Amino acid sequence: MDPIKNPFSPGAGSPPPELVGRDPILEEARVLLGRIKQGRPEKSMLLTGLRGVGKTVLLNEIERMAQSQGYRTVSIEAHEGKALGPLLATHLRKLLFDLDRMAGAGDKAKRGLAVLRSFISSLKVTVNDVSFGLDIEPERGSADSGDLEVDLPNLLVAIGEAAEDKSAAIAILIDEIQYFSPEELGAVIMAMHKIQQRQLPIVLLGAGLPILPRLAGESKSYAERLFSFPDIGALSAADAAKALQDPAAAVDVAFEREALEEIFRLTKGYPYFVQEWGYQSWNLAPASPITIGIVRGATAAVTPRLDKNFFRVRFDRLTPSEKKFLRAMAELGPGPHRTGDIAQSLNVKIESLGPTRANLIKKGMIYSPGHGELAFTVPLFDEFMKRAIP
Ligand SMILES: Nc1ncnc2c1ncn2[C@@H]1O[C@H](COP(=O)(O)OP(=O)(O)OP(=O)(O)O)[C@@H](O)[C@H]1O
Ligand SMILES: [Mg+2]
């Protein structure tokens, strides 16, 4: 069928034609945003889930929701080895200038800019593109101690006060938040702690891999009282069918029931894979309805495509010993697996796995869902590993 009319949208952060199965989380976000705006306390949200489950898409949807509720939003994405301070500074500067221009008598936005300037002066790296009006002097001693766990809370409190001053509310959205260093994550948590104590109108909405609740808890034991960690998972069979059927039905195309069942069997309901199979099946089908035969034909195209892109980019970042480790895990099945079992199948002592295990966690390839257990962060990675290293 006409590929131009293909409604499916496989890709990182590509909005799906229909966002199915996420109503409870969107409702939780709506309540959170409404409460913070009214100065009522509520836990901020950190969405957690495996690769390709739709965290970025949800975060973007929540950002739109925040904007429609009148929030000013700041949206950033953490990267391996990129520091939080410079990443935030440029956005916060723009935000403060916006607040400063808003009607209202207060001068807290000007103070916010002065504190931000002091914050930037203490960053070890230079911040590109951040220039200030000549009239803004850094407020020495406010956020320039060089200790992020002191400076970031001071900065965000100054910004929260500026927002309160103008009856504005701010939503800070951070994707891939697990990539922050323990110090940075600790600083973010402490900042939100202070914001909550002062009931300032700032809300944090983050997304990251399932390792996030543990990282946050290890950093600050009170993190669980500050944040909720909604688990974003695979879609149920009914939701996966809806994700395929509804967008197709909107243009008078149908899926046969067996075709939907086959896609669910292959994708296990993981949203990114659902979009891939929907997309390829559509292109392959000569006309409606899309049959199981078409889906099987599409599978022959989808699997090598995933292997070359989605899986391959992660595989290529692995060292030989990491590959060996993951291949042994894959042999045991989708997981989670006990570390002891992995050691046994590699025929090595459990202690000797420590460094490789730590590196794989740092690279975001595996995480520990429970004590002594390991699982892949990429759905269906076990099947891929067996194809990549037969
Ligand atoms: N609720 C949903 N229903 C149907 N498709 C969805 C849903 N959520 C996301 N998708 C699709 O899944 C794919 C992956 O979404 P997204 O990039 O948001 O995932 P992610 O969890 O951020 O992945 P990663 O961890 O790799 O960043 C996209 O193609 C998107 O269209
Ligand atoms: Mg994402």
Side-chain angles (χ1 to χ4, degrees):
M1 290 181 293
D2 185 357
I4 293 177
K5 297 213 177 107
N6 194 328
F8 298 106
S9 60
S14 323
E18 181 157 336
L19 188 63
V20 300
R22 305 304 189 208
D23 288 351
I25 287 159
L26 291 172
E27 177 58 15
E28 193 182 328
R30 193 184 66 80
V31 171
L32 163 64
L33 290 166
R35 286 180 62 84
I36 296 295
K37 223 180 135 198
Q38 292 185 9
R40 297 179 209 278
E42 192 56 76
K43 287 181 178 179
S44 277
M45 273 168 98
L46 299 179
L47 312 173
T48 65
L50 302 181
R51 291 285 171 208
V53 289
K55 300 179 296 296
T56 301
V57 156
L58 260 176
L59 209 55
N60 291 340
E61 184 61 31
I62 294 172
E63 179 173 20
R64 270 191 293 279
M65 193 190 270
Q67 286 166 344
S68 75
Q69 287 196 20
Y71 273 80
R72 275 147 211 283
T73 64
V74 167
S75 165
I76 63 172
E77 183 183 327
H79 288 277
E80 262 174 302
K82 222 176 177 183
L84 163 67
L87 210 54
L88 261 179
T90 329
H91 293 278
L92 294 179
R93 170 183 168 273
K94 182 175 177 304
L95 177 81
L96 283 164
F97 274 121
D98 283 353
L99 287 176
D100 192 34
R101 275 197 295 270
M102 279 174 77
D107 61 356
K108 296 252 173 70
K110 286 237 163 32
R111 169 165 191 257
L113 281 164
V115 175
L116 176 62
R117 193 155 182 196
S118 120
F119 177 77
I120 289 173
S121 72
S122 76
L123 295 177
K124 286 173 199 79
V125 288
T126 52
V127 178
N128 293 329
D129 302 328
V130 178
S131 56
F132 280 86
L134 285 176
D135 54 332
I136 292 154
E137 285 295 322
E139 185 178 299
R140 300 264 177 239
S142 281
D144 54 3
S145 73
D147 179 353
L148 199 64
E149 293 200 354
V150 175
D151 295 345
L152 189 70
N154 286 344
L155 174 63
L156 285 188
V157 165
I159 291 174
E161 286 173 350
E164 191 180 40
D165 208 23
K166 304 275 185 177
S167 308
I170 296 167
I172 300 177
L173 299 109
I174 308 180
D175 203 357
E176 303 283 356
I177 201 168
Q178 79 282 347
Y179 282 136
F180 283 146
S181 69
E183 191 212 4
E184 290 169 333
L185 193 60
V188 170
I189 296 169
M190 285 183 77
M192 289 316 294
H193 195 196
K194 268 199 156 178
I195 294 289
Q196 205 181 59
Q197 283 166 5
R198 310 259 182 113
Q199 302 205 347
L200 292 170
I202 299 187
V203 57
L204 177 73
L205 297 146
L209 293 175
I211 194 171
L212 190 55
R214 221 194 61 213
L215 290 180
E218 278 170 5
S219 174
K220 298 280 170 280
S221 58
Y222 56 79
E224 59 173 303
R225 276 167 281 150
L226 282 178
F227 299 102
S228 79
F229 296 95
D231 183 22
I232 316 298
L235 303 173
S236 66
D239 283 338
K242 196 168 149 56
L244 292 160
Q245 255 170 335
D246 287 6
V251 283
D252 292 324
V253 171
F255 280 85
E256 282 188 345
R257 194 169 53 85
E258 292 75 24
L260 293 172
E261 285 167 1
E262 177 70 356
I263 294 183
F264 186 73
R265 187 181 72 79
L266 293 162
T267 62
K268 305 199 167 64
Y270 283 102
Y272 175 66
F273 301 136
V274 170
Q275 295 297 330
E276 273 287 359
W277 258 275
Y279 185 84
Q280 299 297 341
S281 302
W282 173 286
N283 284 354
L284 201 65
S288 178
I290 297 171
T291 63
I292 187 167
I294 292 293
V295 171
R296 291 204 174 118
T299 303
V302 173
T303 308
R305 228 172 88 105
L306 289 175
D307 285 3
K308 264 194 254 135
N309 303 300
F310 185 73
F311 293 124
R312 194 82 210 181
V313 289
R314 304 171 203 282
F315 184 80
D316 286 346
R317 295 169 58 233
L318 301 171
T319 65
S321 65
E322 289 164 2
K323 285 179 185 164
K324 227 172 125 188
F325 186 109
L326 295 183
R327 182 63 183 83
M329 259 178 90
E331 194 58 35
L332 300 169
H337 303 296
R338 304 204 55 77
T339 319
D341 295 341
I342 301 167
Q344 199 174 29
S345 71
L346 284 166
N347 219 352
V348 296
K349 285 214 179 73
I350 200 168
E351 303 79 51
S352 71
L353 288 181
T356 312
R357 177 182 174 279
N359 283 332
L360 283 168
I361 290 178
K362 215 164 129 197
K363 284 186 180 171
M365 294 303 302
I366 56 174
Y367 71 105
S368 173
H371 186 70
E373 281 185 341
L374 290 173
F376 294 105
T377 60
V378 183
L380 310 188
F381 206 73
D382 57 314
E383 294 174 19
F384 163 74
M385 281 307 290
K386 289 192 206 160
R387 289 194 296 271
I389 310 175

